[in-house]
Amino acid sequence: MSGLSIIFGLPFVDIVMNTPSCASYRTSLCQVVLLLLTLVAPVGAGPLQTEVLQEKEGWRARVEIDCYTPGTVCGRFDFAALGCRGELTYQGEEGGGHVFRERLLAGACTPGCLFWLDADGQQYRETCKGRLSGQGRLALAVAVPSVKQPETTAPVTRALPSGTVSPVRQAAVQAPPMEDPARRLPAPAANAPTVRAGDTTYRGDFRIDPQQGTVSGEGSVEWVNGDRFLGRVVAGRRQGYGRFVWASGQSYQGDWRDDQAVGRGQILFADGGRYEGDVQAGLPHGQGSYSIPNGNSYEGNWQNGLRHGPGRLSFASGDYWEGRFENDQQSADGRLIIQPSTAAMPLAVSKEAAAASTSLPSVKEATKAPPASAAGALSAQAGGLSPFELNGRFGYLNAAGQVAIPPGFTEAATFSEGLALVRVGETLSYIDVSGKPVLAIDFDDAGSFAQGLAPVLSGEQWGYVDREGRLVIKPRFQDADSFAGGYALVKEGGLWAYLEPGGQLRIAPRFAGAGRFSEGLAPAREGKLWGFINDQGRFVIPSRFAGVGQFANGLAPANENGRWGYIGRDGAWLIQPEFEEADMFSGGLAVVKRNGRYGYIDPRGRWVVAAEFDDAGAVEAGLARVVRSGQVRYLDATGKLRLSVVLAPCGPEVLSDSAGILVWPETPDQACP
């Protein structure tokens, strides 16, 4: 037996054993690696047939599949609810299923989309221009024999590419073994003939080929180390349906081909774990379920040994996470469902306890989060901190999605120059990245530090203090903003002006509306329309827009005729005005609104995160806050789900990571004392 490899946190034996052919007349071992949990390949070929798959709800899709030949029209689709139908041209295998290119023949749907069908014919997804447009579940309506083949009432399969399975074959292999003679284990009698070859004993109906020196037959095969096999052997190779039991007590029962486990099978681990699903070529790849004695389980798609595709993590508490996995990692489109009746915090365990309680971690062991103070100290080097809210209190997250400063403030601003303005009750102060107060503010209001100065309100007038809290520009303005791009926006006499750090006005009050300087330009309005000025106060982009924002990444949002887009420094459109709302770029992305929903685009106008949120915030310190159906989530700059705000059974909000593991509070007892 070989050493152990770790898959999903359990010992997954690199199943190495002697083959009957090598055991015959030889003393050396011939090792065959049997790795489990992957997609079934059909044994043999049968008549071609058309599979008809039907969806009861949603799009009420009807899908007919004739073949899996790349570049060939192999089926048809009819989305009854959308009024669209067309042909399906097979593209190839992907993600444990099959991909077809749609050719629209009728209806107003988007042409040229990709249609993905899982290997079992039970789930489908449609993607148009790289974005998910629809998905649903199918059921086998009927299997129609091809007109070129004779009618038959027997279960049939057709030749498919390696690594695929038709729903007809799927239904057949899932039947109880005793009802399917082809999947029945042999039962050699106690007095059955015995054949011995080297260190291997064959009991049952076996014979030895004297010329080839191989064994064929049906019965049991036993090795001196205690391993045993029950099934059929052809020329020294396990074939068909069989069961292998290791001396450790671990067993595999299922399909075999050419001495490897290929097909559908079940493995029972010595510690009580159980897998049932598709197996092939030694790697998880297809559809299968895996459970452990504590009641936790995973069911879904696998690819090349990793969870990949649609799947669900279920926990003994009744809670579950469902969504799409990408290379063993949960994707951003997943959701965590917490059952109201859960007595204890669902998934709400420390990372250390999670490894023991869920027993379904990734192959790569998660690194432990540093203590909050250490995380805060590191975050300044990793791109800063971003504020977050939990139960009406604000704290700060670092770019890794860890709580760097616990939520305890009634208000919290973004960090700038290593300091952030926070409020606790009526008290204002500035904290550093460790959360320690470093400067108390005895003013009515204040703003963020920039260029060593921060605006403060004294009575009804604004001035500026330095990092020691000393008033260096006396309060005299009706309003004042933080410095940006070398100047601060201030209001005097009802008009906006720009102030230098020394307290002198750079541009006199003249604008009815204005914004911060960024990349050498600032938004400004003298009449009803907006343009951009330079630091001399001269308009370099004429006032012709209904609204504008600040420049970032060489782009500024602008509104023309009620639609928002992005212009360059010459005022020309670089991203055409097609949005209902648009924000300035931050962290390489910009929030835009289309069809009533918010999403994120890159500086080339390409969608990075689809417009599917009710609300969305700018990317700060690598994280962005989004809201969908009332649930608050935090995404990273790639759109991947990092954190979710969920309700604990006892009422308060808690913060969990993408795997559903509690991030804050640190323990369930702190959430529900």
Side-chain angles (χ1 to χ4, degrees):
M1 303 297 290
S2 75
L4 300 181
S5 64
I6 302 300
I7 296 183
F8 302 112
L10 290 181
F12 220 71
V13 177
D14 298 342
I15 304 163
V16 178
M17 57 194 122
N18 303 328
T19 67
S21 60
C22 294
S24 302
Y25 308 110
R26 291 179 174 87
T27 58
S28 63
L29 301 181
C30 180
Q31 297 183 327
V32 177
V33 175
L34 166 63
L35 299 175
L36 302 172
L37 318 178
T38 168
L39 189 64
V40 62
V43 180
L48 291 174
Q49 63 180 25
T50 298
E51 293 168 359
V52 181
L53 307 170
Q54 188 75 44
E55 182 184 29
K56 293 182 179 180
E57 300 176 349
W59 288 358
R60 300 201 308 278
R62 178 183 173 89
V63 182
E64 300 178 6
I65 303 297
D66 301 328
C67 65
Y68 292 91
T69 305
T72 302
V73 176
C74 284
R76 291 150 298 285
F77 68 91
D78 186 347
F79 302 145
L82 304 180
C84 299
R85 58 182 175 83
E87 296 177 338
L88 296 172
T89 299
Y90 187 59
Q91 305 293 300
E93 297 180 48
E94 179 181 314
H98 306 283
V99 178
F100 301 83
R101 174 74 66 180
E102 296 175 1
R103 178 173 177 261
L104 190 66
L105 299 178
C109 297
T110 303
C113 297
L114 293 178
F115 184 88
W116 179 89
L117 180 68
D118 77 349
D120 297 335
Q122 296 179 357
Q123 300 183 61
Y124 76 87
R125 292 194 306 272
E126 184 194 63
T127 55
C128 299
K129 298 181 180 179
R131 309 303 302 183
L132 179 67
S133 54
Q135 58 186 341
R137 298 187 65 86
L138 299 165
L140 181 65
V142 63
V144 183
S146 168
V147 295
K148 298 181 181 180
Q149 299 292 340
E151 296 274 350
T152 176
T153 58
V156 293
T157 61
R158 69 173 185 284
L160 303 179
S162 175
T164 64
V165 59
S166 75
V168 177
R169 169 68 175 165
Q170 182 76 12
V173 301
Q174 288 180 331
M178 294 306 295
E179 296 178 7
D180 185 353
R183 295 177 65 79
R184 182 178 299 153
L185 293 173
N191 59 352
T194 298
V195 176
R196 288 183 173 85
D199 60 355
T200 307
T201 299
Y202 302 85
R203 182 174 288 106
D205 184 16
F206 290 99
R207 60 190 180 279
I208 298 177
D209 185 329
Q211 295 182 345
Q212 300 295 326
T214 57
V215 178
S216 298
E218 186 177 274
S220 66
V221 183
E222 299 178 4
W223 285 267
V224 293
N225 66 356
D227 296 342
R228 60 188 186 276
F229 172 75
L230 188 64
R232 187 160 63 100
V233 178
V234 178
R237 293 178 175 271
R238 285 158 288 208
Q239 301 281 5
Y241 190 76
R243 183 169 187 256
F244 191 92
V245 181
W246 287 265
S248 64
Q250 180 170 296
S251 67
Y252 167 77
Q253 182 170 323
D255 296 325
W256 295 80
R257 187 174 68 185
D258 294 333
D259 218 39
Q260 293 190 20
V262 175
R264 190 160 184 87
Q266 177 188 95
I267 182 170
L268 300 178
F269 294 93
D271 61 5
R274 174 191 179 109
Y275 171 80
E276 189 165 1
D278 302 328
V279 300
Q280 181 194 356
L283 291 174
H285 191 99
Q287 188 76 18
S289 61
Y290 179 66
S291 61
I292 54 178
N294 69 1
N296 298 332
S297 64
Y298 168 78
E299 183 173 4
N301 280 64
W302 312 73
Q303 183 180 28
N304 298 326
L306 303 175
R307 292 168 291 185
H308 189 87
R312 173 187 280 200
L313 284 172
S314 300
F315 298 86
S317 62
D319 311 310
Y320 61 91
W321 184 96
E322 66 178 5
R324 183 172 178 80
F325 286 78
E326 299 286 346
N327 296 322
D328 215 39
Q329 301 295 319
Q330 285 116 319
S331 62
D333 62 356
R335 58 174 184 163
L336 174 65
I337 305 300
I338 296 178
Q339 303 300 329
S341 60
T342 305
M345 279 295 302
L347 316 183
V349 292
S350 66
K351 293 185 183 295
E352 294 81 358
S357 64
T358 67
S359 297
L360 290 171
S362 166
V363 176
K364 297 181 180 179
E365 183 180 2
T367 57
K368 296 180 180 179
S373 60
L378 292 172
S379 63
Q381 302 175 8
L385 305 178
S386 60
F388 77 102
E389 183 182 5
L390 205 64
N391 300 307
R393 291 291 184 268
F394 290 86
Y396 290 85
L397 301 168
N398 62 24
Q402 302 162 341
V403 175
I405 301 175
F409 309 109
T410 51
E411 294 181 26
T414 302
F415 269 89
S416 177
E417 297 188 351
L419 299 177
L421 179 66
V422 297
R423 182 191 296 272
V424 178
E426 298 300 319
T427 302
L428 284 171
S429 62
Y430 290 92
I431 60 172
D432 62 17
V433 292
S434 71
K436 177 183 176 182
V438 295
L439 179 61
I441 294 294
D442 189 20
F443 291 97
D444 299 305
D445 203 354
S448 297
F449 271 96
Q451 297 177 218
L453 300 175
V456 293
L457 177 64
S458 178
E460 296 183 355
Q461 293 185 317
W462 288 83
Y464 288 84
V465 297
D466 63 15
R467 293 176 67 95
E468 302 298 324
R470 295 173 299 197
L471 198 62
V472 294
I473 299 178
K474 293 181 180 181
R476 70 176 192 265
F477 304 108
Q478 294 171 287
D479 205 346
D481 193 13
S482 298
F483 278 85
Y487 310 102
L489 185 64
V490 294
K491 193 173 187 179
E492 198 172 56
L495 296 175
W496 291 96
Y498 289 90
L499 183 72
E500 294 180 340
Q504 301 82 22
L505 289 176
R506 173 69 176 184
I507 301 174
R510 53 179 275 216
F511 302 108
R516 294 180 178 179
F517 268 93
S518 177
E519 298 185 359
L521 300 178
R525 176 174 65 88
E526 286 186 310
K528 293 183 178 180
L529 298 179
W530 291 78
F532 286 85
I533 60 171
N534 60 17
D535 62 0
Q536 303 297 317
R538 181 171 58 88
F539 277 93
V540 293
I541 298 178
S543 301
R544 61 184 179 90
F545 302 103
V548 294
Q550 293 173 242
F551 269 94
N553 294 92
L555 300 166
N559 183 311
E560 190 171 66
N561 299 322
R563 308 296 287 184
W564 287 84
Y566 290 84
I567 60 173
R569 294 176 60 85
D570 60 356
W573 291 107
L574 297 181
I575 299 176
Q576 292 301 312
E578 58 179 277
F579 307 110
E580 297 154 28
E581 295 179 21
D583 201 357
M584 68 176 292
F585 277 88
S586 175
L589 300 178
V591 180
V592 294
K593 184 179 183 181
R594 188 165 70 177
N595 298 326
R597 294 289 184 269
Y598 294 91
Y600 295 83
I601 61 171
D602 66 13
R604 297 181 63 181
R606 299 173 300 190
W607 288 97
V608 176
V609 181
E612 56 186 28
F613 301 105
D614 303 320
D615 193 14
V619 177
E620 295 184 26
L623 295 175
R625 179 184 182 272
V626 297
V627 181
R628 182 167 59 188
S629 300
Q631 184 179 9
V632 177
R633 301 175 178 178
Y634 291 87
L635 311 180
D636 64 17
T638 68
K640 182 179 179 181
L641 175 65
R642 298 300 298 270
L643 300 166
S644 296
V645 176
V646 297
L647 288 178
C650 56
E653 295 175 330
V654 298
L655 194 66
S656 68
D657 66 13
S658 60
I661 296 175
L662 186 67
V663 173
W664 193 265
E666 295 178 331
T667 67
D669 291 342
Q670 293 174 327
C672 298

